[in-house]
């Protein structure tokens, strides 16, 4: 049976370390503040936002919550973002996705100041990652890299296969793996013979959003498997993109769902928020 990579424990460890950094900032008069905007009443988004706000509170980060009705115009949302960009008390700005259909999410993301883009979604953040410059890393792929590190996975020369090509996970994940010297393949929902590709993976990252898509016969024995999926199975139970029950007997190490990548996403959001303050005031946390 594979080593289970415990994201919940690692996220708790990271939050604990962040507390010390937050205390040092508070001593200097700079309590970190994260503005969280939620447009509409999507139930899943409400849960995510609640969890993010709770995690902020536990870490000593101030959160400013803005709930806007589903019929909010794009103009109103953009002007709220503009106001928060100019507000010196606000270090990070997050607009929970998805936004209602009448709003262009790209316009929303690009309205956020890159200096406050703690989600790492802005085109400037994406460009920085692509070219190896300092920016904010998107929280989920950033969390995956921390999980791999924790599992003692040296990526140099390894074949990493990312299944999924989203702007939020797949594409930035591929860049991060590349920066750690892995040989990277990006597969997706239209890849022909997906199993033939995933079976080559020493490190397999599943981020396509299809319940239990990755079966045991699609995994190389001993591979490190990271499951970014958050789906409901046929019984309405939370599950990943990986069929955990069978894959755990083939993989060398594997993340569970829940308790794997999910808690890490929030831990990295908090990390980025603290980092935003430290950069702003030129404070070195080391
Ligand atoms: N929706 C799903 N994941 C995310 C995330 O990481 N950030 C934001 N803002 N919205 C999301």
């Amino acid at each position: 049976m594979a080593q289970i990579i415990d994201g919940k424990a690692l996220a708790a460890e990271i939050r604990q370390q962040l507390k010390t950094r937050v205390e040092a900032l508070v001593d200097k008069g700079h309590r970190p503040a994260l503005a969280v905007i939620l447009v509409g009443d999507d139930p899943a988004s409400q849960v995510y936002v609640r969890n993010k706000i709770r995690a902020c509170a536990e870490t000593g980060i101030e959160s400013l919550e803005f709930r806007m009705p589903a019929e909010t115009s794009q103009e109103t949302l953009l002007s709220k973002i503009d106001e928060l960009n100019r507000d010196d008390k606000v270090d990070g700005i997050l607009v929970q996705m998805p936004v209602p259909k009448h709003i262009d999410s790209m316009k929303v993301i690009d309205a956020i100041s890159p200096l406050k883009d703690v989600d790492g979604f802005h085109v400037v953040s994406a460009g920085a990652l692509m070219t190896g410059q300092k920016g904010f890393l998107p929280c989920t792929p950033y969390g995956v890299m921390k999980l791999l590190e924790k599992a003692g996975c040296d990526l140099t020369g390894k074949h990493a296969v990312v299944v999924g090509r989203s702007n939020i996970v797949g594409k930035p994940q591929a860049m991060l793996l590349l920066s750690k010297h892995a040989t990277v393949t990006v597969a997706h929902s239209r890849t022909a013979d997906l199993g033939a590709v995933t079976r080559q993976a020493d490190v397999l990252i599943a981020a396509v959003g299809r319940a239990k898509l990755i079966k045991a016969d699609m995994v190389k024995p001993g591979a490190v498997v990271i499951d970014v999926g958050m789906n409901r199975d046929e019984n309405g139970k939370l599950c990943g993109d990986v069929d955990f029950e069978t894959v755990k007997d083939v993989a060398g190490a594997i993340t569970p769902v829940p308790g794997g990548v999910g808690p890490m996403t929030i831990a990295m959001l908090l990390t980025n928020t603290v980092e935003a303050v430290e950069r702003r005031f030129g404070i070195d946390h080391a």
Side-chain angles (χ1 to χ4, degrees), residues 52 94-97 119 121:
K52 288 172 186 178
L94 176 157
V95 179
Q96 186 63 31
M97 298 293 162
D119 254 331
F121 292 171

Side-chain angles (χ1 to χ4, degrees), residues 25 30 32-33 91 272-283:
L25 290 170
H30 309 308
D91 302 291
N272 279 346
T273 305
V274 171
E275 187 79 38
V277 188
E278 291 170 347
R279 283 186 203 170
R280 194 168 140 208
F281 295 102
I283 296 165

